[in-house]
Amino acid sequence: MLQSLFDGILVGSILSLGAIGLTLIMHILRFANFSHAELISMGAYFTLTLDAVFTAFSRALSSKLPMLSVSVSLMLAMLAALLITGVLAAIIDKLVFKRLREQAGPLTMVFASFGIGLIIRNVIGLIYGLKSVHYNNDIAFAMMISSDPLLLIKADQLFILALTLLVMVSLHLFMSRTSVGFALKAISENPVLAQINGINLASMVRLAWLLGGALAAIAGVCYALNNQLSPVMGRDLVLSLFAAAIVGGIGSIHGAALGGLIVGLASSLALLIIPAGYKPAVPFLIILLVLYLRPNGLFGEER
């Protein structure tokens, strides 16, 4: 039970990062972006490529951080990858979704997001191959924290938890303490009224895509550190991301963070009851349950 709780919190923290970007876009642009999960794969593979580039440029960067399998080059690659992923997300919006917003409806944008997701997934598979890979092939040994009940934790997992907590706290401070954060929340609540008050809608939409792409990239790196890189990792996570966003309430950053933890814990604890093959059905059941009991989510607003 204790091991399942820890694994659920770890997975939930990763889902929270991806769900925050997803719920932000859904609330501002009013459509379900199914290609958001592929940004997770994109950020993870950009990090893999840049890590190799930085390591080839300087062998000193390949040195590992204390007690971790994470190298200096990998950290630098992640920082560069989150910027690149955010920019590419904004470019995709400009080339595809912006035109559809002006000439079509939300349903068309949803179908377009399916197509974009398929394109990204297959391009990744074409470039990197379909086999799963790791950032580091060294074996990371777990530390035994408790023998009764059994609790094994890897140092990389503690690093992931610390990183996700740092990112979420920083995002909370940005949204609650800065004028840009207030403007972003104003656009998400009432775009027309926000523009009347002088807020630039186009700039805030670009910022939302940049933030969403960057958070997805960090989530992808954390997921790959805890598991492995695969071209279909976005496809495997998409339902869990939507479950987290719906549980928390569309548009609520705090709700998405809590929703990610709930989905992660539910999926992990469910393995104590059901076979592992039925695990993918857990997020879907959570979505149905929340929509039935509380359609607006835990922190969602009634319309």
Side-chain angles (χ1 to χ4, degrees), residues 27-28 30 186-196 199 201:
H27 197 49
I28 292 177
R30 305 295 193 272
I187 285 292
S188 65
E189 295 298 329
N190 194 322
V192 177
L193 186 59
Q195 290 181 88
I196 292 175
I199 298 176
L201 176 61

Side-chain angles (χ1 to χ4, degrees), residues 108-128:
T108 304
M109 295 173 67
V110 171
F111 286 116
S113 71
F114 272 111
I116 292 173
L118 286 173
I119 291 173
I120 294 174
R121 188 186 312 154
N122 285 281
V123 168
I124 291 175
L126 181 65
I127 296 175
Y128 295 94

Side-chain angles (χ1 to χ4, degrees), residues 275-286:
Y278 294 98
K279 182 180 177 181
V282 175
F284 184 70
L285 293 175
I286 293 174

Side-chain angles (χ1 to χ4, degrees), residues 7 10-18 37 39-41 43-45 47 78 132-135 154 156-157 159-161 163-164 215-238 240-241 279:
D7 293 340
L10 180 66
V11 174
S13 64
I14 298 172
L15 292 177
S16 295
L17 291 180
L39 297 179
I40 292 177
S41 302
Y45 275 96
T47 301
M78 182 183 67
S132 299
V133 295
H134 296 83
Y135 286 131
K154 296 179 182 179
D156 286 352
Q157 293 175 328
F159 169 78
I160 292 171
L161 284 175
L163 178 61
T164 54
L215 291 171
I218 299 174
V221 174
C222 292
Y223 182 83
L225 280 174
N226 190 48
N227 297 279
Q228 56 190 3
L229 288 90
S230 171
V232 297
M233 58 191 291
R235 183 201 65 188
D236 295 338
L237 291 174
V238 63
S240 297
L241 294 178
K279 182 180 177 181

Side-chain angles (χ1 to χ4, degrees), residues 47-80 134-138 140 155-156 159 163 221 225:
T47 301
L48 178 68
T49 301
L50 293 171
D51 180 34
V53 171
F54 291 151
T55 301
F57 180 76
S58 174
R59 281 294 178 183
L61 296 178
S62 62
S63 58
K64 302 291 190 299
L65 297 177
M67 299 181 64
L68 301 174
S69 65
V70 180
S71 64
V72 176
S73 62
L74 184 65
M75 292 298 298
L76 294 176
M78 182 183 67
L79 293 175
H134 296 83
Y135 286 131
N136 190 344
N137 292 323
D138 294 342
D156 286 352
F159 169 78
L163 178 61
V221 174
L225 280 174

Side-chain angles (χ1 to χ4, degrees), residues 35-302:
S35 66
H36 183 82
E38 303 305 328
L39 297 179
I40 292 177
S41 302
M42 187 186 296
Y45 275 96
F46 277 144
T47 301
L48 178 68
T49 301
L50 293 171
D51 180 34
V53 171
F54 291 151
T55 301
F57 180 76
S58 174
R59 281 294 178 183
L61 296 178
S62 62
S63 58
K64 302 291 190 299
L65 297 177
M67 299 181 64
L68 301 174
S69 65
V70 180
S71 64
V72 176
S73 62
L74 184 65
M75 292 298 298
L76 294 176
M78 182 183 67
L79 293 175
L82 67 89
L83 178 61
I84 295 173
T85 306
V87 170
L88 285 178
I91 291 175
I92 291 173
D93 174 66
K94 183 176 179 60
L95 295 179
V96 180
F97 294 123
K98 182 180 179 182
R99 182 180 180 87
L100 293 177
R101 285 197 301 272
E102 296 171 349
Q103 301 184 6
L107 188 59
T108 304
M109 295 173 67
V110 171
F111 286 116
S113 71
F114 272 111
I116 292 173
L118 286 173
I119 291 173
I120 294 174
R121 188 186 312 154
N122 285 281
V123 168
I124 291 175
L126 181 65
I127 296 175
Y128 295 94
L130 301 179
K131 291 184 178 180
S132 299
V133 295
H134 296 83
Y135 286 131
N136 190 344
N137 292 323
D138 294 342
I139 298 176
F141 295 97
M143 301 175 291
M144 182 179 291
I145 306 300
S146 171
S147 58
D148 188 20
L150 182 63
L151 178 59
L152 300 174
I153 298 178
K154 296 179 182 179
D156 286 352
Q157 293 175 328
L158 295 178
F159 169 78
I160 292 171
L161 284 175
L163 178 61
T164 54
L165 180 61
L166 176 62
V167 171
M168 284 191 279
V169 170
S170 301
L171 182 64
H172 167 73
L173 293 176
F174 171 76
M175 296 295 292
S176 61
R177 303 292 177 86
T178 66
S179 58
V180 178
F182 289 138
L184 195 59
K185 288 196 291 186
I187 285 292
S188 65
E189 295 298 329
N190 194 322
V192 177
L193 186 59
Q195 290 181 88
I196 292 175
N197 283 274
I199 298 176
N200 190 314
L201 176 61
S203 298
M204 291 299 104
V205 170
R206 283 195 297 271
L207 178 59
W209 281 103
L210 286 170
L211 285 175
L215 291 171
I218 299 174
V221 174
C222 292
Y223 182 83
L225 280 174
N226 190 48
N227 297 279
Q228 56 190 3
L229 288 90
S230 171
V232 297
M233 58 191 291
R235 183 201 65 188
D236 295 338
L237 291 174
V238 63
L239 195 57
S240 297
L241 294 178
F242 273 93
I246 292 172
V247 168
I250 302 301
S252 173
I253 292 177
H254 301 91
L258 180 59
L261 289 175
I262 292 175
V263 173
L265 285 169
S267 299
S268 181
L269 294 175
L271 294 179
L272 300 175
I273 305 173
I274 62 176
Y278 294 98
K279 182 180 177 181
V282 175
F284 184 70
L285 293 175
I286 293 174
I287 292 176
L288 293 178
L289 185 63
V290 171
L291 290 177
Y292 181 77
L293 297 177
R294 189 175 175 83
N296 299 306
L298 297 178
F299 292 90
E301 298 176 354
E302 293 186 4

